[in-house]
Amino acid sequence: GEPEGGIGVCGWILTGFSWLLVMCTFPLSLCVCIKVVQEYERAVIFRLGRLLTGGAKGPGIFFVLPCIESYTKVDLRTVSFDVPPQEILTKDSVTVSVDAVVYYRVNNATISIANVEDANGSTRLLAQTTLRNVLGTKNLAEILSDREGISQYMQSSLDEATDPWGIKVERVEVKDVRLPVQLQRAMAAEAEAAREARAKVIAAQGENNASRALKEAADTISESPTALQLRYLQTLNTISAEKNSTIIFPLPIDLLR
């Protein structure tokens, strides 16, 4: 604010009358002049339309001269608000609906009152436009997979833009990305087709490996006729362990000869 000498002669005269009024009505004037702000609040005082030196007052008790001074309370607590869902056209020409949540607080009470008419409302509007501008440069895959990076970029952009307003943007989170119903069905069909293709490839690889193993086993058995007989006997022993009343076992004609 400007020094008190800048109020001029008329300002000094009005200040003198204000002090005279306080002394003439003492102690009743204390009920009007003494104000209290909470621990999380600050009071920005104007005297004859000029900011007082020393910055915002509080927390605790402060003194306001009647008639010539006015003050505005500023809440310093962190505020969270939901950014309404925004219809956004992505870089790859897909329309999505995205909403987010923003956490911010007043960092400088004096600037938030003197430099902008409505710091809270301005921050909310800027968050909506920043969300649209940032996501408009991303394709759908990046929006779905890189939410953390998008949130950090939005936080830094908002914090830089609101710094002249005395606002500190602490955190931005992308809450939900809603896709059109037709696009959801198309993506589901694409994912199902991809899974079926992978399943067929895996089954074909299994058949290939099994055929190679069977070929190697057949080559090993063919080298010794006795090994084939032993294999038949092992198979018969396995079947008989099931406690079946009737056992049908194929016997090669070559074995009978």
Side-chain angles (χ1 to χ4, degrees), residues 34-210:
I34 293 180
K35 306 294 181 181
V36 179
V37 291
Q38 305 296 330
E39 180 69 28
Y40 53 84
E41 293 177 331
R42 297 295 183 270
V44 181
I45 303 176
F46 293 87
R47 175 177 296 176
L48 297 175
R50 297 174 180 269
L51 282 170
L52 288 184
T53 57
K57 305 297 182 181
I61 299 175
F62 63 97
F63 191 83
V64 176
L65 290 175
C67 303
I68 64 171
E69 288 186 354
S70 61
Y71 72 98
T72 303
K73 288 184 179 181
V74 179
D75 197 327
L76 302 184
R77 292 176 294 182
T78 298
V79 179
S80 63
F81 72 93
D82 292 325
V83 179
Q86 304 292 310
E87 294 290 337
I88 298 169
L89 183 65
T90 62
K91 189 176 180 180
D92 50 354
S93 301
V94 177
T95 302
V96 295
S97 178
V98 183
D99 56 355
V101 59
V102 178
Y103 299 87
Y104 72 94
R105 61 181 175 84
V106 176
N107 191 32
N108 190 316
T110 303
I111 294 178
S112 67
I113 296 298
N115 288 8
V116 62
E117 180 181 1
D118 184 4
N120 293 325
S122 301
T123 302
R124 294 169 187 262
L125 293 176
L126 183 61
Q128 297 181 23
T129 57
T130 302
L131 179 65
R132 299 177 67 92
N133 293 337
V134 170
L135 296 184
T137 61
K138 307 289 184 179
N139 55 42
L140 181 60
E142 292 175 341
I143 294 176
L144 296 177
S145 62
D146 191 24
R147 291 191 182 185
E148 184 177 357
I150 293 174
S151 299
Q152 292 179 354
Y153 181 75
M154 285 185 57
Q155 187 268 335
S156 60
S157 299
L158 279 174
D159 191 27
E160 182 179 358
T162 57
D163 188 62
W165 302 343
I167 299 293
K168 172 66 177 177
V169 178
E170 298 179 338
R171 190 177 182 89
V172 178
E173 292 291 342
V174 177
K175 290 176 57 180
D176 191 15
V177 180
R178 299 182 182 88
L179 304 178
V181 178
Q182 295 180 351
L183 181 59
Q184 294 180 15
R185 294 175 180 173
M187 294 177 65
E190 181 183 0
E192 184 177 358
R195 287 193 297 268
E196 290 181 356
R198 288 195 298 268
K200 291 180 180 179
V201 171
I202 293 173
Q205 291 177 351
E207 291 290 339
N208 186 19
N209 296 334

Side-chain angles (χ1 to χ4, degrees), residues 4 11-26 29-30 33 47 63-69:
E4 294 187 12
W12 280 110
I13 294 175
L14 292 176
T15 303
F17 276 115
S18 180
W19 279 108
L20 181 61
L21 178 63
V22 170
M23 290 184 290
C24 292
T25 58
F26 187 85
S29 59
L30 297 180
C33 297
R47 175 177 296 176
F63 191 83
V64 176
L65 290 175
C67 303
I68 64 171
E69 288 186 354

Side-chain angles (χ1 to χ4, degrees), residues 220-232:
T220 303
I221 293 176
S222 64
E223 294 177 358
S224 176
T226 307
L228 180 60
Q229 297 178 15
L230 293 175
R231 185 58 182 161
Y232 271 105

